Amino acid sequence: MLPTALIRQVLVSFSLVFLCAHGKEWKKYSYPDPQQDLLECGLDGIPSWICDPDQVLSEEQVSDVHSRLEELNSGTRCLCSSCDASNHGYKVAVAVMDKMSYNGAAEHVDLVANNFARYLRERWFSSGCGDNVLVLVTKETPQVYISAGPAARSKLPDRTVKSIVSSAQAQLASEDFQSAILTVVNGVKSEFEDMDTTVLAIIVAACVLGLLTVILVSVLVCLKLRSMKEDSKPTFFRPDKTRESRKSLAKSETHYDPNTDNVYVSLRENKTAEAVV
């Protein structure tokens, strides 16, 4: 039985011969997937988010880019409504090739390349909430194209994408593809990290505002209680004199004065009984 390493080398060599015979023009439907087509993508059979079937980069460079992509994913937070342990944060993938097939539309290079990048992103990231980005790099006409998912576009609008791509133009012109890819990946990462910092700042501001509100309410309540205590006066209650009034009425007599035609009440005086000797 042939060793696994030898079989792998034969398959890779066969793929290279096949590509050379076809001028290395990739169609979006046939470009390999780094999560499934492990031998073709050039990371020694390890699932990753970078595919370089034409070996534009060296094995060491592919491994370096792979490590950066892993750091970006683990260093950002998941934006989806449901996240599991494998979905740390944003997912960025890189597709590198010599040349893509324009299908007779060479005059519309940018349109074809953007469609190519979007197709690969949607195929490679078939699940999730769109918090993903695909970076497409072509060697024949050194260019970088970025396709961002719906959630990722909140931090990567067209203006930001153009700025990131422009920052890598000098490296592309000198065919330093590894540096160009890392420049783009780092630019994307910085935008995502800024988003995490903004969210954290909002949370901290909300907590501080809540604490200040509690303190203010407590002070107002204390001042109100103090004011009520100072303004309060003692209340005096009069004794019930109903019984005494009844006693007074019991000792009173009603008189009628025919001369004035008035009725008046006079109190009777207690008379002390005299002892008869």
Side-chain angles (χ1 to χ4, degrees):
M1 181 178 293
L2 293 175
T4 304
L6 179 59
I7 296 176
R8 182 183 305 163
Q9 187 64 36
V10 171
L11 290 175
V12 172
S13 300
F14 178 80
S15 299
L16 292 175
V17 172
F18 178 81
L19 292 174
C20 290
H22 287 76
K24 296 185 180 180
E25 289 189 357
W26 286 102
K27 295 183 179 181
K28 59 184 180 181
Y29 304 106
S30 59
Y31 192 83
D33 184 335
Q35 292 288 310
Q36 299 179 7
D37 306 312
L38 307 183
L39 296 179
E40 293 181 81
C41 284
L43 197 61
D44 198 24
I46 300 174
S48 67
W49 290 114
I50 177 172
C51 190
D52 180 22
D54 297 332
Q55 297 184 351
V56 175
L57 305 176
S58 66
E59 291 184 6
E60 183 179 354
Q61 290 174 334
V62 171
S63 179
D64 188 20
V65 173
H66 167 72
S67 298
R68 297 294 183 91
L69 298 178
E70 290 291 323
E71 290 175 4
L72 191 154
N73 178 251
S74 60
T76 54
R77 63 186 186 87
C78 175
L79 287 183
C80 300
S81 57
S82 59
C83 304
D84 54 36
S86 62
N87 293 331
H88 297 289
Y90 287 93
K91 304 173 187 65
V92 178
V94 177
V96 188
M97 65 186 68
D98 255 343
K99 181 181 179 181
M100 70 178 67
S101 174
Y102 298 107
N103 292 325
E107 67 277 11
H108 303 294
V109 174
D110 290 341
L111 178 61
V112 174
N114 284 321
N115 288 336
F116 199 119
R118 184 178 68 253
Y119 175 83
L120 290 183
R121 179 182 58 78
E122 293 176 350
R123 195 183 81 189
W124 291 5
F125 302 107
S126 57
S127 60
C129 61
D131 56 342
N132 45 61
V133 175
L134 186 129
V135 179
L136 175 64
V137 180
T138 60
K139 179 180 179 181
E140 184 188 46
T141 55
Q143 289 294 335
V144 173
Y145 301 91
I146 298 177
S147 175
R153 285 190 67 84
S154 62
K155 290 301 292 182
L156 290 173
D158 292 340
R159 175 173 51 84
T160 302
V161 169
K162 290 179 180 179
S163 176
I164 293 174
V165 171
S166 297
S167 65
Q169 287 302 319
Q171 296 159 333
L172 288 172
S174 62
E175 296 191 353
D176 185 0
F177 294 104
Q178 181 198 20
S179 297
I181 292 171
L182 293 180
T183 296
V184 172
V185 170
N186 290 334
V188 171
K189 181 181 179 181
S190 65
E191 295 298 324
F192 293 158
E193 288 176 340
D194 287 344
M195 183 176 186
D196 291 339
T197 303
T198 301
V199 172
L200 179 61
I202 293 174
I203 294 174
V204 172
C207 292
V208 172
L209 181 60
L211 180 60
L212 291 177
T213 302
V214 171
I215 294 175
L216 179 61
V217 171
S218 300
V219 171
L220 292 176
V221 170
C222 291
L223 292 176
K224 182 64 176 178
L225 293 175
R226 183 176 179 180
S227 176
M228 292 175 61
K229 184 177 180 180
E230 292 177 351
D231 293 342
S232 62
K233 296 181 179 180
T235 304
F236 299 96
F237 297 92
R238 294 183 178 181
D240 187 7
K241 295 186 178 181
T242 305
R243 185 177 300 175
E244 295 180 2
S245 299
R246 290 177 180 175
K247 291 180 179 179
S248 299
L249 290 175
K251 298 178 181 180
S252 63
E253 292 182 350
T254 303
H255 301 276
Y256 172 72
D257 187 356
N259 296 323
T260 60
D261 197 24
N262 290 328
V263 177
Y264 62 93
V265 178
S266 64
L267 295 177
R268 293 181 299 174
E269 296 181 358
N270 293 330
K271 294 182 180 181
T272 305
E274 296 180 357
V276 179
V277 181

